[in-house]
Amino acid sequence: MIVLTTFDTDEMALTALRHGAAGFLLKDSPPADLVDAVHRVGAGRPILSPSVTAQLIAAVAAPGDDGRRARAQAVLDRLTDREREVALAIGRGLSNADIARELYLGVATVKTHVGHLFTKLDVVNRVQIARTVHDADVG
């Protein structure tokens, strides 16, 4: 997914990337750059507008807590104990089958919990679940 916007704030870019965007470009990008971005993202290579890249570097390099850990911990605190166990296992890179063995569950049950995690964490893939676990600094 590529986000095309007139707003180049670092928070908007971070939000888009956290929600699965592989590209973030400004609407004033030259048409050739937009076409190139589609090809790059289609080939699995992310792309960011140069001004957004500079802002993100500055934001990451800036000292201080951006609140990411607290937000991630608050989201994980809303999970049931079992959902939290599944989320932590995903954060460790375990497959559904591995999680099922470790937690003595059926694979279908694990899949159900993963679906609940997608909804409760407002994410679209397992990498984003793992990122939330990592950001919360648990597990």
Side-chain angles (χ1 to χ4, degrees):
M1 165 177 52
I2 298 174
V3 173
L4 187 61
T5 182
T6 57
F7 306 104
D8 66 347
T9 65
D10 56 339
E11 185 57 39
M12 181 174 283
L14 286 171
T15 299
L17 295 172
R18 286 184 184 125
H19 283 85
F24 191 92
L25 298 169
L26 301 179
K27 286 185 178 179
D28 63 355
S29 299
D33 289 354
L34 297 176
V35 172
D36 179 59
V38 170
H39 289 287
R40 287 175 57 102
V41 169
R45 297 186 325 256
I47 181 99
L48 296 174
S49 177
S51 65
V52 172
T53 302
Q55 288 181 17
L56 289 175
I57 290 170
V60 169
D65 179 15
D66 63 0
R68 188 173 42 199
R69 178 183 291 176
R71 284 190 302 273
Q73 288 173 341
V75 168
L76 291 180
D77 286 345
R78 294 194 314 248
L79 303 177
T80 66
D81 290 342
R82 186 58 89 182
E83 289 166 345
R84 186 179 178 90
E85 290 174 328
V86 171
L88 294 177
I90 290 171
R92 294 190 343 257
L94 298 183
S95 68
N96 287 347
D98 292 335
I99 296 168
R101 271 191 300 281
E102 183 174 294
L103 299 179
Y104 303 102
L105 300 171
V107 173
T109 302
V110 172
K111 288 180 182 180
T112 298
H113 286 303
V114 172
H116 292 162
L117 291 171
F118 286 166
T119 301
K120 286 186 174 183
L121 300 180
D122 192 26
V123 299
V124 296
N125 60 49
R126 294 170 71 92
V127 172
Q128 292 172 317
I129 294 171
R131 173 70 190 257
T132 300
V133 169
H134 178 268
D135 287 351
D137 197 26
V138 296

